[in-house]
Amino acid sequence: MEHIPVLLNETIQALNLKDNSIYVDATVGRGGHLDKILKSINNSKIIAVDKDFNNIKYLEEKYNINSSGFIKVENNYLRTVHSDYKYIEDILSFFNLSSVDGIIADLGFCSTQIEDKNRGFSFLKEAELDMRYDFTTNSKTAKTIVNEYSLDELINIFKDYAEEKFAKLIANKIITYRKIKQIKTTFDLADLIYNSVPKKFHGKTHPATKVFQALRIETNSELASLNIFLNKIPDLLNKDARVAIISFHSIEDRIVKNALNSFTLNCNCSNYFCNCGNNNKTLNKINKKPITPSNQEINLNPRSRSAKLRVYEKI
Ligand SMILES: C[S@@+](CC[C@H](N)C(=O)[O-])C[C@H]1O[C@@H](n2cnc3c(N)ncnc32)[C@H](O)[C@@H]1O
């Protein structure tokens, strides 16, 4: 199944796109949001970043990109970059840029990655446990984590990255299992978790859902990259430029909200006792509450149900 872009119209509207500008799509994926950006403006440059080489290759084939410069697509100029968005500052300096007119990041994974049985992201498809977005440079796979991390490390990632209630129980079962046999595939791990969690606690979702989320986050150092990226954003936006971030689970959304909200405050001191003289306020929040998908979108694309869009504007 092709990837369906989430909150597409809402995100494009929120970015307040203008002609003759420069934008970054920090998680271009299969180019769903990019495509709409390209059709909405003229004479602009778009830098499209993704950590997954397959997605970059897909877009280069789609848009017939065969040179290392910006190429003309629709009425704009596009350049793909295979990188982690945490390097956004370096990516911009490579193009002699210090700031841009808008940034979009649609976090997490694409449906095409989850459904590719060679990538080992899903407990529904048998594959070697892998889960790397950046399979060309990252050597740490989910298989490395389940077979080599200590008991405490496993418990911590299951708790911190997925709020898994049975973190200790599952981590203990993993340690016992791997003393006898290596955990190699998505099915090895999914079956082990299925059999570890007592049946009366099996809910609507597969009992391995949260552990798979935690492993994906750890394999790709997702939250560390996100924190670095978010803290760089205010300095990289021109005046009135907007950033739009779509998150898919509460841990991610909390990080986005806390990091970007901190730039909407004068400082981090208490209002009563502040005399620090710092002025941290560089962003305005555009929507008080995050934008969420309509029932119609959720019906058409159930993956969108947990999406939250937060939008901020540079002062
Ligand atoms: C939800 S998809 C984006 C979908 C895209 N907006 C579309 O409409 O096709 C998220 C993408 O972010 C990429 N990604 C995840 N972490 C990243 C990071 N730290 N830096 C750059 N890309 C990342 C993934 O490889 C994936 O392609």
Side-chain angles (χ1 to χ4, degrees), residues 181-192:
K181 221 169 135 204
Q182 200 187 37
I183 302 165
K184 278 194 184 149
T185 70
T186 48
F187 279 11
D188 288 345
L189 182 64
D191 289 349
L192 186 158

Side-chain angles (χ1 to χ4, degrees), residues 25 27-35 38 48-50 52-66 71 73 78-81:
D25 184 340
T27 55
V28 66
R30 307 298 277 188
H33 290 94
L34 169 70
D35 209 48
L38 287 167
V49 181
D50 205 289
D52 185 337
F53 185 65
N54 279 354
N55 284 341
I56 293 295
K57 211 168 64 187
Y58 169 85
L59 291 172
E60 291 185 345
E61 278 163 19
K62 175 175 174 182
Y63 292 116
N64 218 352
I65 299 177
N66 51 19
I71 64 128
V73 177
L78 173 66
R79 169 71 201 251
T80 48
V81 179

Side-chain angles (χ1 to χ4, degrees), residues 3-6 8 25-34 49-52 55 83-86 104 106-111 113 133 220-222 225-226 248 303:
H3 179 83
I4 306 170
V6 168
L8 181 60
D25 184 340
T27 55
V28 66
R30 307 298 277 188
H33 290 94
L34 169 70
V49 181
D50 205 289
K51 211 169 166 172
D52 185 337
N55 284 341
S83 183
D84 190 310
Y85 52 53
K86 73 177 176 186
I104 163 179
D106 174 17
L107 304 177
F109 54 85
C110 299
S111 315
Q113 290 167 320
Y133 297 135
N220 297 293
S221 308
E222 282 185 38
S225 278
L226 182 60
F248 288 89
R303 206 205 139 213

Side-chain angles (χ1 to χ4, degrees), residues 191-209:
D191 289 349
L192 186 158
I193 298 170
Y194 190 88
N195 295 322
S196 312
V197 175
K199 287 271 180 322
K200 65 173 175 184
F201 294 110
H202 287 199
K204 276 195 211 144
T205 52
H206 191 291
T209 308

